[in-house]
Amino acid sequence: MAVNQLLTQFVNLLGAVLLMLVFAMIGQRRIVSLILLFTFQGAVLALSTAVVGYVTGQPHLYVSAALTLVLKVMLIPWLLRRVIERLGIARDVETLINIPTTMLIGILIVIFAFNLAKPISQFSAVLAGGTLGIALASVLLSFLMMITRANALPQVIGFLAMENGLFFAATSATYGMPMVVELGIALDVLIGVLILGVFMFQIREQFDSLDIRHLEQLKEE
């Protein structure tokens, strides 16, 4: 019993690390560093999923943890690195809002998320008590990163980070989804990354840049 309580606190700690990584991502300009932070986030997510599986006795969560490790720590970061090598966009990227303002908005979002999740957490299981607010804050911060970046690749990483937050909520609050659903989501995410990669190549070929504001030219035409 004491071991389970210790592991439960460890899951909350991993959730806090997950949230700090998302916070670091919204203040990061370099795409290489964004990919590295996303990789760390995937590793933390895989570890927390495995711990939840052990505490709750849900064997399928071990498969989920392994799948997360392969996809979000190995395969997807490798694909993203290949994209930036082919496109030559490892340099700093422009943000639509300056970083200090973005960080301030991020703090307000975290406060809002925790207050919004507090009533739900009171009626949730022990493991979910400290993680619902973290998961909601992670999702909202990832969305903030998506809407404050002018470059397509950081928006893709923001989308993937948002999915990480949703997955963390699913594993910690409901002890995972049916395996067929998790496999379907994993396949959808992988296919989505491949499609977005092709989309980014098309933008680069058309405009010689990944700045999505160039797409407004198509609307004007």
Side-chain angles (χ1 to χ4, degrees):
M1 187 66 179
V3 174
N4 284 350
Q5 289 179 350
L6 183 62
L7 290 175
T8 297
Q9 293 302 316
F10 184 57
V11 171
N12 288 329
L13 175 62
L14 291 174
V17 173
L18 194 74
L19 180 59
M20 286 190 292
L21 288 171
V22 181
F23 216 91
M25 290 170 75
I26 67 172
Q28 183 58 246
R29 291 179 182 272
R30 290 187 60 80
I31 295 180
V32 174
S33 299
L34 277 175
I35 296 175
L36 183 61
L37 289 170
F38 172 75
T39 305
F40 288 152
Q41 192 183 49
V44 171
L45 187 62
L47 180 57
S48 68
T49 303
V51 173
V52 172
Y54 176 80
V55 173
T56 60
Q58 302 284 339
H60 74 276
L61 288 179
Y62 294 123
V63 180
S64 299
L67 195 62
T68 300
L69 189 66
V70 171
L71 279 180
K72 298 179 180 179
V73 180
M74 300 178 185
L75 184 56
I76 291 178
W78 178 78
L79 290 173
L80 292 174
R81 290 190 188 95
R82 290 284 294 173
V83 169
I84 65 173
E85 287 174 3
R86 292 285 300 275
L87 296 178
I89 51 172
R91 62 184 185 276
D92 293 356
V93 294
E94 183 182 355
T95 57
L96 300 178
I97 305 176
N98 63 68
I99 296 299
T101 303
T102 304
M103 299 294 282
L104 179 59
I105 296 173
I107 293 173
L108 296 176
I109 286 176
V110 171
I111 295 173
F112 169 77
F114 274 88
N115 280 281
L116 184 63
K118 187 176 180 180
I120 304 174
S121 300
Q122 294 175 351
F123 299 98
S124 299
V126 176
L127 261 178
T131 56
L132 285 177
I134 292 174
L136 180 58
S138 298
V139 171
L140 294 178
L141 288 175
S142 300
F143 183 70
L144 175 66
M145 186 175 76
M146 289 180 64
I147 64 177
T148 57
R149 301 302 172 105
N151 192 285
L153 188 54
Q155 292 186 342
V156 172
I157 298 174
F159 167 76
L160 294 171
M162 182 184 298
E163 196 272 334
N164 282 346
L166 293 172
F167 189 82
F168 179 72
T171 54
S172 60
T174 64
Y175 307 147
M177 299 167 283
M179 181 54 60
V180 65
V181 177
E182 294 181 7
L183 290 174
I185 292 175
L187 182 61
D188 288 344
V189 169
L190 182 58
I191 293 174
V193 170
L194 295 176
I195 293 174
L196 289 170
V198 173
F199 177 64
M200 285 186 286
F201 276 106
Q202 292 296 325
I203 296 177
R204 182 60 179 267
E205 182 179 351
Q206 183 71 29
F207 301 108
D208 196 29
S209 171
L210 283 181
D211 193 326
I212 60 172
R213 287 173 293 185
H214 290 304
L215 295 177
E216 296 179 0
Q217 298 176 12
L218 299 178
K219 183 179 67 175
E220 292 172 359
E221 294 174 0

